[in-house]
Amino acid sequence: MTLSPDTIGMIIALFAFTATVLSGVGAMLAHQTKRMDSRFGRMEESVDARFDQMNAQTNARFDQVDARLDRVDARLDRVDTRIDRVEERLLAVEHELVDVKITIARLEGPPRRLQQL
């Protein structure tokens, strides 16, 4: 099987053309990949910045809520101390009332009994 020099030249030219086209496609894909990587990098940076901003806002709001809860706790502590003082006063009034009842009972004397005729 003998091939003519023209056929061999065509086969070599076809391989050269295929190699050139494939290297061009490879270069184009490499360029597109670099561009996509840079776009994804920028997008990731913007998303990270957005998340950081929202995280800061959320932390600030939680700090405000925490401060408000501290104020509410302080108020509840003051209310608890007031209630304790009211309970103490009520106990004192109850003891005084018992003393008053005893004094009234002593003033009235023993209960009257029927006298025998």
Side-chain angles (χ1 to χ4, degrees):
M1 211 168 148
T2 60
L3 293 174
S4 70
D6 289 337
T7 307
I8 293 174
M10 286 295 272
I11 291 173
I12 291 173
L14 183 63
F15 279 124
F17 176 74
T18 304
T20 305
V21 169
L22 288 178
S23 67
V25 169
M28 182 183 69
L29 288 175
H31 179 68
Q32 288 294 330
T33 304
K34 284 181 187 176
R35 285 183 58 200
M36 286 177 60
D37 285 345
S38 67
R39 281 185 182 175
F40 281 128
R42 287 194 308 265
M43 195 181 314
E44 184 178 2
E45 288 172 2
S46 69
V47 167
D48 287 344
R50 178 75 183 219
F51 275 126
D52 290 341
Q53 178 186 11
M54 291 185 74
N55 192 16
Q57 289 174 350
T58 305
N59 286 340
R61 286 184 182 171
F62 277 134
D63 290 342
Q64 289 174 352
V65 168
D66 192 34
R68 184 174 278 177
L69 286 175
D70 288 342
R71 288 194 306 266
V72 168
D73 283 344
R75 270 186 152 175
L76 287 175
D77 290 341
R78 287 194 308 260
V79 167
D80 282 343
T81 56
R82 278 186 171 180
I83 288 174
D84 290 341
R85 286 195 311 237
V86 167
E87 285 178 352
E88 290 172 1
R89 282 183 173 176
L90 283 176
L91 284 173
V93 168
E94 184 179 353
H95 289 302
E96 288 177 13
L97 184 62
V98 168
D99 290 341
V100 168
K101 283 182 179 180
I102 291 172
T103 305
I104 289 174
R106 285 183 184 157
L107 286 175
E108 288 179 350
R112 299 192 184 250
R113 297 180 187 213
L114 293 175
Q115 292 180 357
Q116 289 181 339
L117 291 173

